[in-house]
Amino acid sequence: MSDQTRPSRPVVEGRDDSGPVPVEYRFSHARNGTRHLVVVFANFSARDEYGFSNGVLDQVRANILWIRDLFDGGNTYYLCKDMDFGVERSVAALIARFAHALGLTADQVTMFGGSKGGTAALQFALRHGWGNALAVVPQFRIGTALHERRPAAAALMMGQVTPEKIAALDTVMPELVAGTPHRHTNVYLVTSPQDEHYGRQVAPFVDLFRDYPNFNLVFNDSPLITGHDTVTARTLPPIMGLLNLLVAGIAPRLGQVRTGGEQPGRDTAPIDALLAATERFPRPRVDFPAPGTTVPGHAVALGGLAPARPGSASG
């Protein structure tokens, strides 16, 4: 999801230097004292490397912590530089410090992001035991995704890009999902068959969640989705619905559900006829000027018929 403008809700910007790597962030207080923290991770096209910072979260009542994925001038999946995972440790420490300062328990914290931000949401929730992960179109084979599509990020994260390092990063997420002790995290994974990453980056790994008590797969098969970059926008209403439920302390159990199903080319003649027959104020008929006719600006004349309102006396 491409961000266009800064959020209108008040934010504080800061930098935490307590870990091995400095981490930049933005923070916005909850409305009316809501006891929840949403941690937001960025996708590759996020403005200023802060995800969902275009105002879409303005009405979310939680405390919101946006974490910037910009380390030494590049993106890192919030994981590593030159295979040193100090980035992950620093980000994890920052999240823990905010949750502690707010006096929140693990179940009052939601990790949220799309694309590489969705991968990060799963990574931090499952590695550190936070209550909820809302992950939109994540990638599970990080090394492959970097090597094939993001050479600059691959060089930053791996140093010298080698098959061994690609394979090592490819195992990070599958091994975490299969081996984490934090299976009681509520996981919401949003995906689509129209995402070109789906077949290689998501589908082979869904079964790793089979033992999770509350794993939910939201599958959007909308014909209006044209690829990876459009899934979030086409699924935004249910995504925001889920996020607001989690903030309210409600963790729904959806299982595997489908959304989409639009029919953009469907014939609207029947509903148009119904509207025309029951319209409260019938549309006027314009006889002249004809549609598309250029008329002088100083003298415009209109002619036609305005039907009487149903039930009123005709003149």
Side-chain angles (χ1 to χ4, degrees):
M1 183 177 185
S2 179
D3 295 336
Q4 301 299 322
T5 59
R6 289 279 301 276
S8 61
R9 65 187 286 168
V11 297
V12 176
E13 299 195 8
R15 180 174 124 160
D16 179 35
D17 295 311
S18 64
V21 176
V23 182
E24 296 178 308
Y25 67 85
R26 291 175 181 163
F27 177 77
S28 182
H29 287 283
R31 295 185 173 206
N32 302 318
T34 299
R35 304 291 296 146
H36 204 92
L37 173 66
V38 175
V39 181
V40 185
F41 302 97
N43 63 343
F44 275 109
S45 61
R47 180 183 173 93
D48 296 329
E49 318 306 333
Y50 286 106
F52 292 91
S53 60
N54 60 346
V56 70
L57 303 181
D58 279 1
Q59 301 306 313
V60 175
R61 295 181 178 178
N63 300 281
I64 301 179
L65 175 64
W66 290 269
I67 302 180
R68 194 179 197 186
D69 186 17
L70 189 64
F71 301 91
D72 286 348
N75 303 129
T76 67
Y77 272 83
Y78 300 89
L79 278 180
C80 62
K81 295 187 301 178
D82 198 11
M83 300 304 285
D84 179 344
F85 285 76
V87 172
E88 191 277 338
R89 295 193 300 275
S90 298
V91 172
L94 176 67
I95 296 169
R97 292 181 69 189
F98 267 85
H100 178 74
L102 291 165
L104 300 176
T105 57
D107 63 311
Q108 295 174 310
V109 180
T110 295
M111 305 289 118
F112 174 47
S115 192
K116 74 175 169 66
T119 303
L122 288 171
Q123 156 77 14
F124 286 94
L126 298 181
R127 189 171 299 281
H128 301 283
W130 298 112
N132 310 300
L134 177 49
V136 184
V137 288
Q139 294 94 41
F140 285 80
R141 300 173 68 200
I142 297 172
T144 296
L146 288 167
H147 179 59
E148 293 180 349
R149 298 171 67 97
R150 304 289 176 178
L156 177 60
M157 293 176 64
M158 299 184 211
Q160 182 181 2
V161 178
T162 67
E164 293 75 18
K165 291 178 181 178
I166 293 170
L169 289 179
D170 274 351
T171 66
V172 169
M173 290 305 299
E175 288 184 356
L176 174 62
V177 175
T180 181
H182 302 300
R183 281 175 161 72
H184 286 277
T185 292
N186 303 303
V187 176
Y188 302 86
L189 197 162
V190 179
T191 189
S192 171
Q194 281 83 274
D195 178 1
E196 62 272 23
H197 294 213
Y198 174 74
R200 297 176 63 199
Q201 288 283 359
V202 177
F205 307 101
V206 170
D207 195 49
L208 295 176
F209 293 96
R210 63 185 178 276
D211 295 331
Y212 284 56
N214 192 22
F215 170 68
N216 305 274
L217 183 70
V218 179
F219 197 76
N220 192 341
D221 60 359
S222 169
L224 300 175
I225 292 175
T226 57
H228 179 78
D229 293 339
T230 62
V231 178
T232 301
R234 292 304 314 171
T235 321
L236 194 59
I239 290 170
M240 295 307 299
L242 282 170
L243 184 62
N244 282 301
L245 284 171
L246 295 172
V247 167
I250 302 168
R253 295 178 180 270
L254 305 175
Q256 297 193 18
V257 296
R258 300 180 78 93
T259 185
E262 299 94 336
Q263 295 180 316
R266 185 177 176 84
D267 180 16
T268 63
I271 189 63
D272 291 340
L274 174 60
L275 291 171
T278 59
E279 193 171 13
R280 185 174 179 85
F281 299 101
R283 299 176 184 175
R285 188 190 76 216
V286 178
D287 293 330
F288 65 85
T293 301
T294 300
V295 297
H298 64 279
V300 178
L302 300 176
L305 175 67
R309 177 178 173 179
S312 66
S314 59

